[in-house]
Amino acid sequence: MTTYYNKFEIEDAMKVIVEDYLKDCIECEELPEDFIDLIKYNFLAKYVSFNKEEKAIEIGVEDTTVTDSHYPVIEIFSFPIEKSNKWLDNSFKYENDDFAFYGKLLNKRKYNHSDVEVVVL
């Protein structure tokens, strides 16, 4: 099955979905799996976790500037969950491949299909 989306449709739907993900975080005190996938994709993160005490999302990103270590050096960023989550809004990418990834997240949410091809118009 193939799903067709235009870029504006994906952008608008992702805003709504992200609000739902954030609401779920606060209510359930855990990150939905699709939200973890989204954050990992947008930030090229190695891990994502929810800090219940601080009500914040912690993201581990590999520091590629460190060259004197045999092991990956992970830098941790912490973002509080608020009404205005600019850190997340600013992480979105706008190339066709990126929209295809976001479209797959939409399909999982809308139709419960995870392996459907997405065509961005």
Side-chain angles (χ1 to χ4, degrees):
M1 186 172 139
T2 304
T3 307
Y4 298 89
Y5 292 110
N6 68 43
K7 293 178 181 182
F8 301 110
E9 190 177 17
I10 292 173
E11 284 180 33
D12 289 341
M14 287 307 296
K15 289 177 186 176
V16 172
I17 289 174
V18 166
E19 286 179 20
D20 290 344
Y21 288 155
L22 290 169
K23 192 184 311 178
D24 288 349
C25 285
I26 294 170
E27 291 174 3
C28 301
E29 294 191 332
E30 62 183 37
L31 294 169
E33 198 63 39
D34 289 342
F35 193 31
I36 292 171
D37 293 341
L38 174 67
I39 293 172
K40 281 184 175 180
Y41 181 85
N42 284 0
F43 287 90
L44 303 174
K46 296 298 180 188
Y47 82 89
V48 178
S49 65
F50 181 68
N51 184 327
K52 294 177 185 179
E53 294 170 2
E54 295 180 19
K55 298 256 190 247
I57 295 174
E58 295 178 347
I59 301 170
V61 179
E62 185 175 351
D63 185 353
T64 57
T65 61
V66 177
T67 58
D68 60 345
S69 175
H70 296 298
Y71 299 101
V73 175
I74 305 296
E75 190 172 348
I76 299 170
F77 298 93
S78 184
F79 299 100
I81 296 177
E82 304 169 341
K83 286 190 179 233
S84 169
N85 288 292
K86 290 291 183 193
W87 62 270
L88 187 54
D89 293 341
N90 293 337
S91 73
F92 279 91
K93 302 170 186 173
Y94 298 98
E95 299 297 322
N96 275 345
D97 290 343
D98 304 318
F99 282 112
F101 174 79
Y102 302 142
K104 288 181 181 184
L105 288 178
L106 288 176
N107 281 343
K108 285 172 104 174
R109 180 95 169 188
K110 254 178 142 173
Y111 307 114
N112 206 19
H113 295 256
S114 60
D115 58 347
V116 175
E117 182 182 355
V118 174
V119 175
V120 180
L121 307 172

